[in-house]
Amino acid sequence: MGEPSIQYELLVLQEDKIVFGIQTCEQCVTLLLDNLYHTGEPQSQNTYNEILTLIHEVEQRLRQEWLNIKIQKALLAYQMNKKGERES
């Protein structure tokens, strides 16, 4: 395996971790909103808002990292494709 393909595989592993993190954030938001729906505690609204905002910020950071990985993967895929064309 050439260097671009090794880098690509490492990015795939990183991407898997980031996607799992995004899914975890989404599940946490769903659980908290469901809990708020079932308890209907208006006195806890500020706490819920603060926690949900923090989770949202983490999710947005992860989505930015995911986008960066997708860009890197696209560039590496281009390099691997060009290398394959030269070897043919």
Side-chain angles (χ1 to χ4, degrees):
M1 268 173 41
E3 189 171 323
S5 58
I6 293 171
Q7 291 174 0
Y8 190 92
E9 290 300 321
L10 291 173
L11 288 173
V12 168
L13 294 174
Q14 288 177 5
E15 185 177 33
D16 289 345
K17 290 178 184 177
I18 288 173
V19 169
F20 179 77
I22 292 168
Q23 291 170 340
T24 301
C25 288
E26 291 171 343
Q27 290 171 353
C28 288
V29 167
T30 299
L31 288 171
L32 284 167
L33 290 173
D34 188 56
N35 189 47
L36 183 59
Y37 169 78
H38 286 295
T39 61
E41 299 175 15
Q43 66 271 18
S44 301
Q45 182 178 353
N46 288 338
T47 303
Y48 276 95
N49 191 34
E50 186 175 345
I51 293 169
L52 288 166
T53 299
L54 289 171
I55 293 170
H56 179 71
E57 289 171 2
V58 170
E59 183 180 345
Q60 291 305 307
R61 180 183 52 80
L62 289 171
R63 288 188 180 280
Q64 182 63 49
E65 288 179 34
W66 191 18
L67 176 61
N68 292 335
I69 286 175
K70 289 178 183 180
I71 292 168
Q72 292 174 16
K73 282 175 58 184
L75 293 172
L76 287 170
Y78 173 81
Q79 290 175 8
M80 290 185 301
N81 187 39
K82 284 297 177 188
K83 184 178 179 184
E85 287 177 4
R86 285 184 291 202
E87 292 175 357
S88 296

